[in-house]
Amino acid sequence: MRRLTLIIITVSIFISSAYNTGLAQDDLRIWNEFVEAVKNDQITPDKIRTYDNLPKDMLLQWCKMFKEGKLWEQIQGTPEVHRVGQHVHYIVTFAKDDWKSTFCHTFLIEDDKWYFRHLENIIIRLDKIAAPPTSEFPDLPEEKKAAVREEIYSTEQVRLFNFFAKEKGKDFAFNWFKDGDGFLLAAKTWVPFYPPEKAFILYLCWEQANLRENKVTLEKFDSNEAVVRMKPMYLQLYKQTAHLKTQISFEDYLRLFETIWQDRASKAGWNLGITYNGDECLFNFQRKK
């Protein structure tokens, strides 16, 4: 009897192992087919089905970059595969020279066909938590968390802007976000070492660099002029996140950014000129006479 039980267990383990191996090979088959399709320019819009009908252009652009950069040559190890319902997620790490980044590629499986659904650079490894009860949860690097905070902040701004624009008109919506008085009050009270107009400039640099974790350089600073060079994630987000493009035009998105900063500068006694170079912007402050 014990021998028969042992044989049954052994056969069950073999069948289970064979099944899991076959499933894993099928999952990797989908990934390999995707890579081959990228190489041969076969990822067309009909091969993409995004979440919530988001624009497909970002995924098409990624496929173009994937091919032109021959990213398949930069993959480290075997893609990590996670099958969840109708979706298969591939966590893939690319590395070349000093660059290394991990992306999650998501595919929808329907009627034995796969469709490219999503690409994500933020992956929270909550599959690795300890058994409950636990108070520790896998964290993200600081720059990733800053990007998450900025995306949540910007999305909420756009949501409120659209609501007010619909109910009260665009002028009311833009004016709603003017917070110059409060921003100046923070500068005056938290940086009490300078006159308010100079405290404002230094607080701006600190707030953007340390709270927002943007790249900031104070290039000039005196009583009559200040120059701040900055690379705000706010501007980068519009290019990197598909959902913002469906909710607001870039013109209004940029105008919202400028409305906020023009109001802050004015309340602190500065005239502000803003120039752009890609994702970077230059704030040139001139003291009001």
Side-chain angles (χ1 to χ4, degrees):
M1 186 67 179
R2 290 181 59 189
R3 183 179 179 186
L4 179 60
T5 302
L6 181 60
I7 291 172
I8 292 172
I9 293 173
T10 302
V11 170
S12 298
I13 291 173
F14 174 78
I15 293 173
S16 175
S17 176
Y19 173 79
N20 290 332
T21 300
L23 186 62
Q25 289 176 344
D26 185 59
D27 288 342
L28 287 175
R29 174 186 61 79
I30 293 169
W31 172 256
N32 292 331
E33 286 180 0
F34 167 71
V35 173
E36 286 302 311
V38 167
K39 291 180 181 179
N40 295 297
D41 289 324
Q42 294 174 344
I43 303 296
T44 52
D46 62 298
K47 289 293 292 179
I48 296 175
R49 292 188 184 178
T50 58
Y51 285 120
D52 302 324
N53 293 316
L54 292 173
K56 300 178 179 181
D57 59 320
M58 290 187 65
L59 296 185
L60 291 169
Q61 182 65 27
W62 171 251
C63 291
K64 181 180 179 181
M65 291 171 56
F66 202 113
K67 179 183 179 181
E68 293 178 350
K70 295 184 177 181
L71 295 187
W72 55 86
E73 297 178 356
Q74 301 171 26
I75 296 174
Q76 285 197 326
T78 303
E80 183 180 329
V81 185
H82 296 267
R83 182 179 282 266
V84 182
Q86 287 184 286
H87 293 97
V88 181
H89 309 282
Y90 297 91
I91 298 178
V92 183
T93 298
F94 301 93
K96 183 178 181 180
D97 300 328
D98 295 331
W99 176 73
K100 183 177 182 179
S101 192
T102 300
F103 293 85
C104 180
H105 300 70
T106 295
F107 294 85
L108 171 67
I109 312 301
E110 284 188 350
D111 300 324
D112 294 326
K113 295 180 180 179
W114 57 262
Y115 301 90
F116 194 14
R117 171 148 270 200
H118 193 71
L119 177 74
E120 186 57 66
N121 189 228
I122 295 172
I123 306 163
I124 307 173
R125 297 308 307 244
L126 294 176
D127 57 327
K128 298 184 181 298
I129 64 170
T134 180
S135 298
E136 296 184 3
F137 306 94
D139 205 354
L140 290 171
E142 289 302 321
E143 65 273 13
K144 291 286 187 182
K145 288 193 289 186
V148 170
R149 287 192 294 268
E150 192 67 21
E151 183 172 338
I152 293 171
Y153 169 75
S154 299
T155 300
E156 182 64 11
Q157 272 196 323
V158 170
R159 188 185 71 83
L160 284 174
F161 173 83
N162 286 334
F163 172 77
F164 287 129
K166 181 180 179 181
E167 297 295 324
K168 300 286 188 177
K170 280 192 176 182
D171 288 341
F172 180 93
F174 283 117
N175 287 330
W176 175 266
F177 290 94
K178 292 180 178 179
D179 63 354
D181 288 324
F183 198 88
L184 179 61
L185 179 61
K188 289 189 296 187
T189 56
W190 293 349
V191 189
F193 316 105
Y194 301 91
E197 64 277 5
K198 297 187 75 173
F200 165 82
I201 298 296
L202 294 175
Y203 174 67
L204 177 166
C205 293
W206 178 87
E207 188 260 356
Q208 287 295 302
N210 296 326
L211 285 186
R212 301 287 184 189
E213 297 200 32
N214 292 316
K215 185 177 180 180
V216 178
T217 303
L218 179 60
E219 297 192 345
K220 187 173 182 179
F221 179 56
D222 60 41
S223 298
N224 297 310
E225 183 180 7
V227 177
V228 177
R229 187 177 300 277
M230 183 166 58
K231 192 173 184 179
M233 280 184 282
Y234 179 90
L235 298 181
Q236 300 171 55
L237 274 174
Y238 194 85
K239 298 177 182 178
Q240 296 172 356
T241 56
H243 70 275
L244 289 175
K245 294 183 178 69
T246 67
Q247 297 171 10
I248 189 172
S249 68
F250 182 69
E251 290 74 20
D252 283 345
Y253 188 75
L254 187 62
R255 182 181 169 189
L256 184 58
F257 175 79
E258 293 182 348
T259 296
I260 292 169
W261 282 111
Q262 289 290 354
D263 181 64
R264 289 174 176 178
S266 181
K267 294 295 173 53
W270 298 94
N271 292 315
L272 171 61
I274 306 175
T275 56
Y276 300 93
N277 182 15
D279 294 331
E280 191 176 71
C281 60
L282 190 71
F283 284 6
N284 193 309
F285 297 92
Q286 299 289 332
R287 248 342 240 132
K288 287 184 178 181
K289 295 182 181 180

